[in-house]
Amino acid sequence: MINYLKNIIKGFSTILVGMKVTFINLFRPNVTVQYPNVHPLVRAGSDKMPDNARNKLNVIIPKCTGCKSCEKACPVNCITIETTKVASIDTEKPLMEDGKKRVFWLSQFDIDFAKCCFCGLCTIACPTSAIVHSTDFEYSCYDRNELLVHFSPFNKEQVAEKKRILAEEVKQKAEKALADKQAAEKAAQEQNITDSKIKSSDDQTSANQNIQNNSN
Amino acid sequence: MENNLENTTNNNKINIEYSQFDSERMRLNAGPQHPSTHGVLRLEVELDGEIVTDIIPHLGYLHRCFEKHCENSNYNQIVPFVDRLDYVSAINNEFPYVMAVEKLAGIEVSEKVQILRAMCAEINRIANHLLAISAFGLDSGAFTPLLFLFREREFALGILEKLSGARLLYNYFCPGGVRYEIYSDFKKDVKVFIDSVRLAMKEMEDLLIFNDIFIKRTEKIGLLPKEVAINFACSGPVARGSGINFDIRKSAPYSSYDKFDFDIPVVEPGKEVVGVSGDCWSRNWVRVKEIEESCKILEQGITLLPDEGSVTDGIPKKLKVPAGEVYCKAENTKGELGFYLVSNGSDKPERVRARATSFVNLAILPSISKGYMFADLIMILGSIDIVLGEVDR
Amino acid sequence: MENHQFLFNFISEYTGDILAGVLIAIIPLALLLVYALVAIYGELKIASFIQLKLGPMRTGKWGLLQPVAEVFKLLQKEDITPDGADKPLFNLAPFIIFLGCYAALSVLPLSSHFAPSGLNIGLFFIIAISSLAVLGIVMGGWASNNKYSLIGAMRSVSQIISYEIPAAMCILGVASMAHSLDMNVISAQQQGGFWNWYVLGGPAGISKIWLIPFTVVMFIVYFVTSLAETNRTPFDVPEGESELVAGYHTEYSGMKFAFFYLAEYGNMFVVSAIMTVIFFGGWSSPFGDFLNSPIWQIFWFIAKSMFFVGLQIWLRWTLPRTRVDQLMYLCWKILLPLSMVCFLAMALGGMLY
C-alpha cells in the first residue's frame, strides 16, 4: 500500500519536474532564425561561413589549364571537360592568369550539380586552384537541366570556330608534311638521277619559302 | 537462443500461450513509410491484438551498392561514400577506413593528427548520441526533447563544419592526415560546446530520462540477455547496455585513444540505475553516460592537442597502396565498424567490405521484441539506434 | 434559478420560440469556431516557445492568421474516401464526433444569465453526450479499411469508456456536495471568492478544511481523466504518431479531417469548462462581488476554461506517451480507487454541509 502511494507520488513529482523544465524554456529566447529573411550566415555560433565551406562549385576559367585532374578526382563523375588545343595559326593568343601561354581552350567545362556530392576532392586535386567552392548554396530550381552549369567561356559557334582553326592547322601541317615528303622524295630522285643541278636547286629554295610561310 | 529469452527473469513480456487462443492474427505492414522506423525499414509485423507475435524485417530500400562502387573508385574517392553509410556519424565511419588504408600503404600519421581525429570522432559521437536519445524520446511520444537536443547538436555540427567545410558528410579524414588545417578558435569552441552539452543533458535527465512515464515505457522492455547479445555479435551501446564490457577504444586502442583517460559505461546486472540490465532504458542510459565520457575525452584533447605542426603535411601526393589485405576496426557510435580491404597494387581497391554495425545490431530485433506490445516494438527499434544507410549500404 | 433563460426570453419576444432557439444555438457554434482558431494558434505558439522556436510568423503579424490559413488549406484539399472504405460510415463519423462536442456546449452556463440550454440535469447530460465521441471514433476507425485506423479506434474505445468511470465519479462527488446536477446552480453556489470553490471544499466556511485534500485530489483525478477523454498527451495512444501514424483519422483528409481536428479542440474546451464549473466556480468571479456582473461572468468563465486548455497544451509538449496497458492500469488501479475515496469524503461533506 505504501509502495503504491509512493509510486503515485513519484510519478506525479517527475511530471512536475518535467513541467518545470518546459516552463523555464517557455521564456528563453528562441534559437532559430527566420531563414530567408535572416541569412543563416548570422545564425548562432558563427557570424560567417567557414573559409573551407563546401557549397556550389565555381570555376575560375583564366586559371584553369585544362589538365582534367578534377574530372579524374570526382567520385561521382559530375564534371565533364573537353579541351581543344590552341592552334598556332590562331590570331587570338590566350594567356593564363599568371601570364603563361595557354595550351588548351576549355571548349566544354560542365558541372552537373544534381550529381555533385560536395566532397571537395576536385578542389584538392586542382593544381592551380581554378575550381573552388563558393558560398552560394541557394540555387534550387524548378528544372533539373538548370543544374547542369556550363563554365566554358565559349558558346557553340565559338567552339566550332576554334575547332575549325585547329583543324585547319592540322590540315596545313599535314599538307606541309606531305609537301616536305614529296619534296624530299623529289630531291632524292633528282639526286639519284643527278641530271640537271640548277633545276633542283630552284625547287629547294621554293620549298624553303613554303616552310617559312607556314611557321609564320 | 530462444530458450535464453524465454527463461529470463524480470521480463515484462506478456506471457500468453498463443496456441491456446484461436484468435485471428493481423499482419501489419510497418514501413517503409512509417514515422518511426528510422528510415526506410519495413517491418512485417504479425499482431495478436496489440501483442507482437512475429516480425519479418525487410531490408534493402536504401541499397546503394556501396561495395561495388568502391571497386570502381580510387582510395580517396571512397571516403565520401564511406560518409554516407551511417550518415549521422560520418567522421566515425571515415576513421576505420582511413586507418585501414594507412595500414595497407604503411603511412605514418603524426600525433597531432591522431589527437585531432579522436577529438573529431568524439564530437561526432556526441552529435550522434544526442540524436539517438532525442529520437528515442520522440518514439515514446515526447517531441520537445528532440528540439532541445538539436540545439546542442547544432553546436557540434558547427564545429565540424568549421573544421571540414561540411555539416553532415564531412570527407574530412584522408590517408595521411586530415583535409584542412584546424581553425584558430577550435579549442575555445570545443570548451563552450562541452559546457552547453553538460547543461543540456542535465536538463534532459529532468525532462525525459527520469520521467516516470518514460521509465515505465522503457524499463524491462526489449530484454537482451548478455549471452544473446554475444551470440548475435552485438556491439556498442546495445552490447554495453546488456552488461558486456566491450569497447574497441579500450580493448584494442587505436589512433590516440590510449592517451586519454575515460571510462566505458556498462549497465551490469545488479548495478542498474533503473530497470534491468539489457532493457531499452539501459541502452539509452549507456548513451547518456557516453556523452559525458566523450566530454571528458574532449577536455583532455584540448590540453593534449599541440598548437604547432600541420595536420595536412602527411598527406602523400600520390597514394601508392601495395598489394595485400587488411581489416581495420574502430568503435563507431553504434558499435564496431570494420573495413576489410583487398588491394592488388593498383590505385583502386579490389574489394572493400564493411562490417556494418547497424546491420548486425538490427538482427536482434525479431528475437527480442516478440511478446511485447506494438508500441514497445517501436521503442525497442529506437533503442537499438539504427541508421538505414548503414543497414542497407 | 430561471434567469439563465434571460437571453432566450428576450429574443423570443420578438421572433417566436423556434427562431429564438435557432439563434441561441448559433452562439455556442460561433464560440466553438472562434475558440478553435485561438486554441490552434495558442497550441502552435506555446509549443514553439517551449521548443525555443518562433512558431508561425509569416501569415499576418506574428502569424496570427495561421489558423485561418490552415482552415482554408483544409477546405481546398481533396476529399478522399479510400477504396474499400465503408462510405456512409466513413463520411458520417467526423460529424458524429463533432456533434458530441457541440451538444455538450449547449448546457454550459457562460454567465448567470445565459446558458444556451438551461438543462437542470446538465452534468448528467454531459456524461451521456460525451460518450457519443466513441461512436464516431469507432465508426471512423472501422470504416477506413486501414489497420492502423482500426487499432487506433480499438484503443480509443477502450480508453474513453474506461476513463468515463473515474470522470463520472468526480462529477458525482461534486454533485453530491452541491445537491444538484444543474451547472448553473453549481456555479452560483460557488460565488463569493475563490475560497468557495469546490476545489477548496466548497462554500461551507472554515469547518470544511479537512475536505480540501480530497477535493484537490479529486480535481487532479478529473484533470488526468479529461486528458484521456480528449486523447491528449500523455494519453494520445489512439493517435500515437510514432506507432499508429495518425490512429483513427489516418485516412481522413480535407474538411472531414478538419472536423476531427475541430472536435479535438472542442472537446478540450468542453472538459475544461466542466472542470471550471464543478471545481473552479464556473462563471463566478474569484474575488467575491468584484467584477461579477453577467458580462464579466462570461469573461471569467472563458478565462478559467482557457487556463485549463493552456495547461493541457503545456502538458502535451512536456510528456511522453503512455502505453495502452499502462493507461488501463492508471485508470482502474489508481484513478478509480482515488476517486472513490475522495467521493466518499465529498459525499460525507455533502451530508454535513
Side-chain angles (χ1 to χ4, degrees):
Chain A
M1 184 68 191
I2 288 168
N3 222 356
Y4 169 83
L5 288 174
K6 250 188 196 165
N7 271 336
I8 294 174
I9 290 164
K10 188 184 148 230
F12 195 69
S13 62
T14 54
I15 287 169
L16 288 183
V17 168
M19 285 175 78
K20 196 188 92 192
V21 172
T22 42
F23 191 72
I24 292 166
N25 278 286
L26 193 61
F27 301 106
R28 285 197 183 149
N30 59 303
V31 294
T32 52
V33 294
Q34 287 184 275
Y35 159 54
N37 302 4
V38 183
H39 203 264
L41 291 185
V42 296
R43 71 170 174 273
S46 60
D47 51 353
K48 67 177 177 61
M49 216 168 248
D51 298 335
N52 51 1
R54 303 210 298 261
N55 299 303
K56 195 179 186 183
L57 286 165
N58 190 21
V59 181
I60 305 159
I61 288 294
K63 278 186 179 180
C64 180
T65 56
C67 67
K68 299 193 181 180
S69 304
C70 49
E71 194 182 17
K72 283 184 205 112
C74 183
V76 290
N77 303 331
C78 71
I79 306 175
T80 317
I81 303 175
E82 191 193 284
T83 52
T84 309
K85 212 170 170 228
V86 177
S88 50
I89 58 164
D90 199 338
T91 49
E92 211 175 328
K93 297 290 173 202
L95 292 177
M96 303 285 297
E97 205 185 53
D98 53 359
K100 283 182 192 160
K101 211 175 145 192
R102 180 177 275 285
V103 186
F104 292 110
W105 291 117
L106 289 160
S107 49
Q108 190 194 3
F109 198 125
D110 293 351
I111 300 181
D112 189 352
F113 286 104
K115 280 186 192 168
C116 180
C117 70
F118 305 96
C119 60
L121 287 175
C122 49
T123 59
I124 292 159
C126 185
T128 56
S129 309
I131 183 163
V132 287
H133 287 286
S134 62
T135 50
D136 177 22
F137 59 92
E138 297 158 308
Y139 56 93
S140 54
C141 55
Y142 288 102
D143 187 1
R144 183 181 288 192
N145 295 325
E146 285 171 37
L147 289 171
L148 183 68
V149 180
H150 307 287
F151 286 100
S152 169
F154 296 150
N155 56 25
K156 267 181 190 164
E157 289 83 49
Q158 283 168 316
V159 170
E161 171 69 15
K162 292 297 174 197
K163 280 189 177 166
R164 194 190 57 75
I165 295 172
L166 187 70
E168 201 172 282
E169 192 200 55
V170 170
K171 202 174 137 197
Q172 279 180 8
K173 269 189 182 164
E175 276 173 0
K176 192 200 87 183
L178 198 73
D180 280 0
K181 210 178 159 191
Q182 280 173 349
E185 275 173 9
K186 215 175 183 180
Q189 268 180 358
E190 280 171 8
Q191 266 192 352
N192 281 348
I193 298 163
T194 60
D195 259 6
S196 55
K197 284 177 184 175
I198 304 156
K199 202 182 176 185
S200 69
S201 66
D202 281 356
D203 275 358
Q204 265 188 341
T205 48
S206 67
N208 280 341
Q209 271 178 347
N210 246 346
I211 291 165
Q212 274 175 355
N213 283 342
N214 277 352
S215 61
N216 286 339
Chain B
M1 250 177 265
E2 292 295 316
N3 282 335
N4 278 336
L5 287 167
E6 295 303 322
N7 295 336
T8 335
T9 50
N10 283 327
N11 205 331
N12 220 7
K13 212 181 265 192
I14 293 125
N15 288 312
I16 295 176
E17 286 293 324
Y18 296 111
S19 54
Q20 289 178 4
F21 290 93
D22 194 22
S23 62
E24 197 182 336
R25 308 284 170 80
M26 181 157 84
R27 282 205 167 265
L28 189 69
N29 199 15
Q33 271 78 42
H34 186 275
S36 49
T37 49
H38 292 244
V40 283
L41 174 66
R42 178 177 159 220
L43 295 171
E44 204 180 325
V45 189
E46 195 184 73
L47 290 175
D48 182 13
E50 285 264 338
I51 298 154
V52 175
T53 57
D54 197 13
I55 302 170
I56 308 164
H58 294 273
L59 309 177
Y61 288 90
L62 201 58
H63 181 53
R64 294 159 300 175
C65 313
F66 162 69
E67 285 164 13
K68 192 69 192 165
H69 264 307
C70 292
E71 290 168 23
N72 297 315
S73 312
N74 66 33
Y75 288 95
N76 280 328
Q77 286 177 346
I78 293 173
V79 180
F81 292 143
V82 171
D83 278 341
R84 282 156 178 80
L85 287 184
D86 177 357
Y87 40 79
V88 183
S89 48
I91 290 268
N92 279 286
N93 294 350
E94 292 167 12
F95 214 145
Y97 171 75
V98 168
M99 283 197 301
V101 176
E102 279 162 3
K103 214 165 153 187
L104 204 55
I107 300 169
E108 284 291 320
V109 183
S110 71
E111 195 192 318
K112 186 177 181 184
V113 174
Q114 298 282 30
I115 290 169
L116 177 64
R117 278 184 184 175
M119 284 176 78
C120 291
E122 293 311 317
I123 293 171
N124 198 217
R125 189 184 307 278
I126 292 175
N128 174 78
H129 283 350
L130 289 176
L131 181 66
I133 293 164
S134 55
F136 189 46
L138 187 64
D139 284 343
S140 73
F143 195 83
T144 306
L146 180 84
L147 291 152
F148 277 8
L149 290 186
F150 257 69
R151 179 187 49 184
E152 309 310 319
R153 192 176 142 79
E154 181 68 29
F155 268 114
L157 296 188
I159 292 173
L160 290 172
E161 183 190 10
K162 284 185 195 169
L163 279 174
S164 72
R167 289 177 61 77
L168 196 65
L169 303 161
Y170 305 104
N171 188 21
Y172 185 49
F173 293 5
C174 63
V178 294
R179 285 282 175 212
Y180 306 100
E181 290 288 350
I182 308 170
Y183 67 98
S184 52
D185 282 349
F186 176 61
K187 289 182 178 178
K188 211 173 83 192
D189 277 4
V190 171
K191 256 181 212 153
V192 174
F193 170 62
I194 294 169
D195 292 345
S196 80
V197 162
R198 282 187 172 150
L199 261 174
M201 287 318 290
K202 216 174 165 192
E203 206 174 70
M204 200 46 51
E205 283 177 16
D206 284 346
L207 180 61
L208 183 73
I209 314 263
F210 287 110
N211 185 300
D212 208 44
I213 297 175
F214 183 73
I215 289 173
K216 287 268 153 51
R217 279 299 301 279
T218 50
E219 65 170 353
K220 298 173 188 172
I221 297 294
L223 226 53
L224 176 66
K226 199 172 176 177
E227 310 83 63
V228 182
I230 292 170
N231 285 343
F232 274 94
C234 294
S235 52
V238 176
R240 291 196 279 276
S242 294
I244 301 166
N245 195 346
F246 173 69
D247 189 316
I248 299 167
R249 288 177 293 171
K250 276 277 184 207
S251 63
Y254 55 91
S255 192
S256 57
Y257 276 109
D258 48 351
K259 294 191 184 70
F260 294 108
D261 174 37
F262 62 101
D263 301 321
I264 303 299
V266 182
V267 183
E268 275 161 359
K271 288 181 189 170
E272 302 96 347
V273 186
V274 173
V276 293
S277 169
D279 61 1
C280 289
W281 198 90
S282 302
R283 290 195 274 275
N284 197 44
W285 181 241
V286 167
R287 292 195 184 97
V288 175
K289 297 303 271 183
E290 267 187 19
I291 287 180
E292 178 54 35
E293 297 302 323
S294 293
C295 285
K296 268 195 218 165
I297 294 177
L298 284 176
E299 268 178 348
Q300 294 165 34
I302 292 169
T303 53
L304 279 174
L305 188 71
D307 283 325
E308 63 281 346
S310 167
V311 287
T312 52
D313 280 355
I315 306 169
K317 278 269 179 287
K318 182 96 177 130
L319 189 63
K320 281 205 175 64
V321 182
E325 56 183 61
V326 68
Y327 177 75
C328 210
K329 61 187 178 178
E331 184 73 14
N332 186 16
T333 52
K334 299 178 172 68
E336 178 188 335
L337 177 71
F339 283 98
Y340 177 61
L341 251 67
V342 183
S343 165
N344 53 8
S346 69
D347 63 338
K348 287 172 184 171
E350 188 157 309
R351 179 91 172 90
V352 177
R353 170 91 178 96
R355 183 227 185 258
T357 326
S358 296
F359 179 71
V360 177
N361 284 351
L362 182 62
I364 59 171
L365 179 70
S367 45
I368 63 170
S369 48
K370 277 176 205 165
Y372 296 105
M373 294 194 140
F374 183 62
D376 294 333
L377 169 66
I378 300 296
M379 295 304 284
I380 295 166
L381 187 65
S383 74
I384 297 173
D385 184 22
I386 52 160
V387 167
L388 262 291
E390 199 182 7
V391 175
D392 291 342
R393 273 168 286 155
Chain C
M1 271 289 169
E2 284 304 315
N3 55 6
H4 56 71
Q5 296 281 2
F6 165 75
L7 197 61
F8 178 79
N9 296 337
F10 183 72
I11 297 172
S12 63
E13 271 179 34
Y14 299 96
T15 60
D17 280 2
I18 295 171
L19 198 58
V22 171
L23 284 175
I24 292 287
I26 288 171
I27 292 173
L29 185 66
L31 180 78
L32 185 64
L33 292 174
V34 172
Y35 149 78
L37 295 182
V38 175
I40 291 169
Y41 181 76
E43 170 121 42
L44 289 170
K45 275 294 183 190
I46 290 175
S48 303
F49 288 154
I50 283 177
Q51 295 163 353
L52 311 171
K53 301 185 291 182
L54 281 169
M57 288 296 276
R58 302 208 183 274
T59 38
K61 186 85 174 158
W62 307 305
L64 274 166
L65 294 174
Q66 182 68 27
V68 182
E70 285 191 9
V71 167
F72 277 106
K73 180 200 74 177
L74 286 169
L75 273 171
Q76 287 171 36
K77 283 207 162 186
E78 188 189 353
D79 190 14
I80 300 167
T81 309
D83 201 19
D86 191 335
K87 285 210 172 71
L89 291 183
F90 185 82
N91 292 331
L92 198 60
F95 302 105
I96 287 188
I97 293 177
F98 178 70
L99 193 70
C101 148
Y102 178 43
L105 277 176
S106 66
V107 290
L108 295 177
L110 292 173
S111 150
S112 60
H113 283 70
F114 175 67
S117 164
L119 214 55
N120 60 2
I121 49 161
L123 280 174
F124 179 74
F125 178 76
I126 277 182
I127 294 173
I129 207 78
S130 62
S131 307
L132 208 61
V134 181
L135 188 64
I137 286 170
V138 77
M139 271 165 72
W142 170 256
S144 292
N145 191 26
N146 180 320
K147 286 168 183 171
Y148 288 114
S149 301
L150 184 60
I151 295 177
M154 289 190 321
R155 284 182 179 184
S156 185
V157 170
S158 58
Q159 174 187 334
I160 292 179
I161 289 177
S162 305
Y163 271 83
E164 256 166 24
I165 295 161
M169 274 296 185
C170 299
I171 292 174
L172 212 56
V174 175
S176 66
M177 281 178 83
H179 305 290
S180 170
L181 286 168
D182 191 332
M183 296 178 94
N184 209 0
V185 173
I186 295 172
S187 301
Q189 281 175 354
Q190 299 176 68
Q191 272 176 305
F194 60 89
W195 181 242
N196 286 343
W197 290 353
Y198 277 118
V199 73
L200 295 174
I206 200 77
S207 62
K208 63 163 185 186
I209 209 150
W210 61 274
L211 202 59
I212 293 177
F214 294 102
T215 46
V216 169
V217 170
M218 199 63 144
F219 158 67
I220 292 166
V221 168
Y222 186 75
F223 183 69
V224 175
T225 316
S226 70
L227 287 174
E229 282 206 70
T230 50
N231 297 333
R232 295 285 294 184
T233 313
F235 307 112
D236 60 343
V237 283
E239 47 196 282
E241 191 200 328
S242 59
E243 298 143 28
L244 298 181
V245 189
Y248 54 86
H249 55 68
T250 306
E251 294 286 352
Y252 283 91
S253 69
M255 215 46 221
K256 277 182 273 182
F257 176 75
F259 267 98
F260 275 108
Y261 212 65
L262 188 64
E264 186 189 326
Y265 281 93
N267 276 328
M268 275 164 72
F269 182 78
V270 168
V271 290
S272 302
I274 297 168
M275 214 153 12
T276 306
V277 170
I278 64 176
F279 287 114
F280 288 87
W283 39 256
S284 63
S285 160
F287 312 110
D289 287 335
F290 176 66
L291 298 179
N292 205 13
S293 66
I295 301 297
W296 273 103
Q297 283 166 356
I298 294 178
F299 165 76
W300 287 121
F301 183 83
I302 292 188
K304 285 172 189 173
S305 302
M306 290 308 279
F307 172 76
F308 290 112
V309 171
L311 203 60
Q312 288 184 354
I313 293 171
W314 176 15
L315 264 175
R316 172 167 180 179
W317 298 104
T318 304
L319 296 177
R321 187 184 306 119
T322 55
R323 207 171 56 208
V324 67
D325 61 325
Q326 289 161 356
L327 191 82
M328 291 299 146
Y329 178 90
L330 184 69
C331 175
W332 294 105
K333 290 197 173 172
I334 294 177
L335 295 185
L336 193 58
L338 278 182
S339 66
M340 276 176 152
V341 170
C342 296
F343 169 65
L344 281 177
M346 286 171 85
L348 192 64
M351 281 161 69
L352 290 175
Y353 311 116

PDB file of all heavy atoms in Angstrom, chain B residues 15 66 88 211 227 239 265 272 296 329 335 347:
ATOM      1  N   ASN B  15       3.010 -12.987 -21.070  1.00  0.00           N
ATOM      2  CA  ASN B  15       3.121 -14.423 -21.273  1.00  0.00           C
ATOM      3  C   ASN B  15       1.772 -15.012 -21.627  1.00  0.00           C
ATOM      4  O   ASN B  15       0.917 -15.228 -20.798  1.00  0.00           O
ATOM      5  CB  ASN B  15       3.673 -15.096 -20.014  1.00  0.00           C
ATOM      6  CG  ASN B  15       5.136 -14.780 -19.860  1.00  0.00           C
ATOM      7  OD1 ASN B  15       5.892 -14.898 -20.816  1.00  0.00           O
ATOM      8  ND2 ASN B  15       5.529 -14.348 -18.683  1.00  0.00           N
ATOM      9  N   PHE B  66      27.254   0.200 -52.228  1.00  0.00           N
ATOM     10  CA  PHE B  66      28.465   0.819 -51.693  1.00  0.00           C
ATOM     11  C   PHE B  66      29.711   0.024 -52.051  1.00  0.00           C
ATOM     12  O   PHE B  66      30.705   0.560 -52.530  1.00  0.00           O
ATOM     13  CB  PHE B  66      28.326   0.954 -50.175  1.00  0.00           C
ATOM     14  CG  PHE B  66      29.615   1.160 -49.456  1.00  0.00           C
ATOM     15  CD1 PHE B  66      30.305   2.342 -49.593  1.00  0.00           C
ATOM     16  CD2 PHE B  66      30.155   0.170 -48.650  1.00  0.00           C
ATOM     17  CE1 PHE B  66      31.493   2.538 -48.931  1.00  0.00           C
ATOM     18  CE2 PHE B  66      31.336   0.356 -48.002  1.00  0.00           C
ATOM     19  CZ  PHE B  66      32.019   1.536 -48.136  1.00  0.00           C
ATOM     20  N   VAL B  88      24.702   9.749 -39.870  1.00  0.00           N
ATOM     21  CA  VAL B  88      24.605  10.567 -38.658  1.00  0.00           C
ATOM     22  C   VAL B  88      25.973  10.725 -38.012  1.00  0.00           C
ATOM     23  O   VAL B  88      26.234  11.708 -37.337  1.00  0.00           O
ATOM     24  CB  VAL B  88      23.597   9.942 -37.679  1.00  0.00           C
ATOM     25  CG1 VAL B  88      23.420  10.806 -36.473  1.00  0.00           C
ATOM     26  CG2 VAL B  88      22.282   9.738 -38.367  1.00  0.00           C
ATOM     27  N   ASN B 211      11.881  10.740 -16.277  1.00  0.00           N
ATOM     28  CA  ASN B 211      10.432  10.918 -16.222  1.00  0.00           C
ATOM     29  C   ASN B 211       9.774   9.565 -16.002  1.00  0.00           C
ATOM     30  O   ASN B 211      10.156   8.568 -16.607  1.00  0.00           O
ATOM     31  CB  ASN B 211       9.966  11.540 -17.541  1.00  0.00           C
ATOM     32  CG  ASN B 211       8.501  11.871 -17.523  1.00  0.00           C
ATOM     33  OD1 ASN B 211       7.679  10.997 -17.343  1.00  0.00           O
ATOM     34  ND2 ASN B 211       8.179  13.131 -17.685  1.00  0.00           N
ATOM     35  N   GLU B 227      24.154 -13.287 -22.986  1.00  0.00           N
ATOM     36  CA  GLU B 227      24.600 -14.368 -23.882  1.00  0.00           C
ATOM     37  C   GLU B 227      24.042 -14.147 -25.289  1.00  0.00           C
ATOM     38  O   GLU B 227      24.736 -14.370 -26.279  1.00  0.00           O
ATOM     39  CB  GLU B 227      24.120 -15.729 -23.373  1.00  0.00           C
ATOM     40  CG  GLU B 227      24.403 -16.040 -21.916  1.00  0.00           C
ATOM     41  CD  GLU B 227      23.357 -15.425 -21.015  1.00  0.00           C
ATOM     42  OE1 GLU B 227      22.187 -15.808 -21.137  1.00  0.00           O
ATOM     43  OE2 GLU B 227      23.709 -14.558 -20.194  1.00  0.00           O
ATOM     44  N   ALA B 239      25.339  -3.629 -26.793  1.00  0.00           N
ATOM     45  CA  ALA B 239      26.022  -4.661 -26.012  1.00  0.00           C
ATOM     46  C   ALA B 239      26.318  -4.159 -24.606  1.00  0.00           C
ATOM     47  O   ALA B 239      26.136  -4.881 -23.625  1.00  0.00           O
ATOM     48  CB  ALA B 239      27.311  -5.060 -26.705  1.00  0.00           C
ATOM     49  N   PRO B 265      30.967   3.190 -19.997  1.00  0.00           N
ATOM     50  CA  PRO B 265      29.750   2.964 -19.219  1.00  0.00           C
ATOM     51  C   PRO B 265      29.105   1.636 -19.594  1.00  0.00           C
ATOM     52  O   PRO B 265      28.806   1.395 -20.766  1.00  0.00           O
ATOM     53  CB  PRO B 265      28.846   4.139 -19.589  1.00  0.00           C
ATOM     54  CG  PRO B 265      29.402   4.712 -20.821  1.00  0.00           C
ATOM     55  CD  PRO B 265      30.799   4.275 -20.986  1.00  0.00           C
ATOM     56  N   GLU B 272      22.121  -1.693 -11.909  1.00  0.00           N
ATOM     57  CA  GLU B 272      21.304  -0.813 -12.735  1.00  0.00           C
ATOM     58  C   GLU B 272      20.839   0.400 -11.939  1.00  0.00           C
ATOM     59  O   GLU B 272      20.661   0.321 -10.725  1.00  0.00           O
ATOM     60  CB  GLU B 272      20.070  -1.565 -13.258  1.00  0.00           C
ATOM     61  CG  GLU B 272      20.386  -2.799 -14.056  1.00  0.00           C
ATOM     62  CD  GLU B 272      20.340  -4.054 -13.209  1.00  0.00           C
ATOM     63  OE1 GLU B 272      20.305  -3.932 -11.975  1.00  0.00           O
ATOM     64  OE2 GLU B 272      20.349  -5.144 -13.796  1.00  0.00           O
ATOM     65  N   LYS B 296      34.668  14.196 -21.446  1.00  0.00           N
ATOM     66  CA  LYS B 296      35.948  14.059 -20.745  1.00  0.00           C
ATOM     67  C   LYS B 296      37.092  13.955 -21.748  1.00  0.00           C
ATOM     68  O   LYS B 296      38.133  14.593 -21.585  1.00  0.00           O
ATOM     69  CB  LYS B 296      35.920  12.786 -19.889  1.00  0.00           C
ATOM     70  CG  LYS B 296      35.465  12.980 -18.470  1.00  0.00           C
ATOM     71  CD  LYS B 296      35.861  11.733 -17.710  1.00  0.00           C
ATOM     72  CE  LYS B 296      34.838  11.312 -16.696  1.00  0.00           C
ATOM     73  NZ  LYS B 296      35.065   9.946 -16.228  1.00  0.00           N
ATOM     74  N   LYS B 329      39.328  -1.973 -37.619  1.00  0.00           N
ATOM     75  CA  LYS B 329      38.048  -1.713 -36.956  1.00  0.00           C
ATOM     76  C   LYS B 329      38.186  -0.533 -36.008  1.00  0.00           C
ATOM     77  O   LYS B 329      39.281  -0.202 -35.556  1.00  0.00           O
ATOM     78  CB  LYS B 329      37.596  -2.949 -36.190  1.00  0.00           C
ATOM     79  CG  LYS B 329      38.558  -3.361 -35.107  1.00  0.00           C
ATOM     80  CD  LYS B 329      38.183  -4.666 -34.479  1.00  0.00           C
ATOM     81  CE  LYS B 329      39.205  -5.041 -33.437  1.00  0.00           C
ATOM     82  NZ  LYS B 329      38.891  -6.265 -32.749  1.00  0.00           N
ATOM     83  N   GLY B 335      28.731   0.984 -32.469  1.00  0.00           N
ATOM     84  CA  GLY B 335      29.414  -0.262 -32.160  1.00  0.00           C
ATOM     85  C   GLY B 335      30.631  -0.435 -33.039  1.00  0.00           C
ATOM     86  O   GLY B 335      31.208   0.534 -33.521  1.00  0.00           O
ATOM     87  N   ASP B 347      45.596   1.574 -58.247  1.00  0.00           N
ATOM     88  CA  ASP B 347      45.099   2.708 -57.455  1.00  0.00           C
ATOM     89  C   ASP B 347      43.671   2.487 -56.973  1.00  0.00           C
ATOM     90  O   ASP B 347      43.120   3.321 -56.280  1.00  0.00           O
ATOM     91  CB  ASP B 347      45.219   4.010 -58.248  1.00  0.00           C
ATOM     92  CG  ASP B 347      44.362   3.987 -59.484  1.00  0.00           C
ATOM     93  OD1 ASP B 347      44.022   2.876 -59.937  1.00  0.00           O
ATOM     94  OD2 ASP B 347      44.028   5.063 -59.994  1.00  0.00           O
TER      95      ASP B 347
END
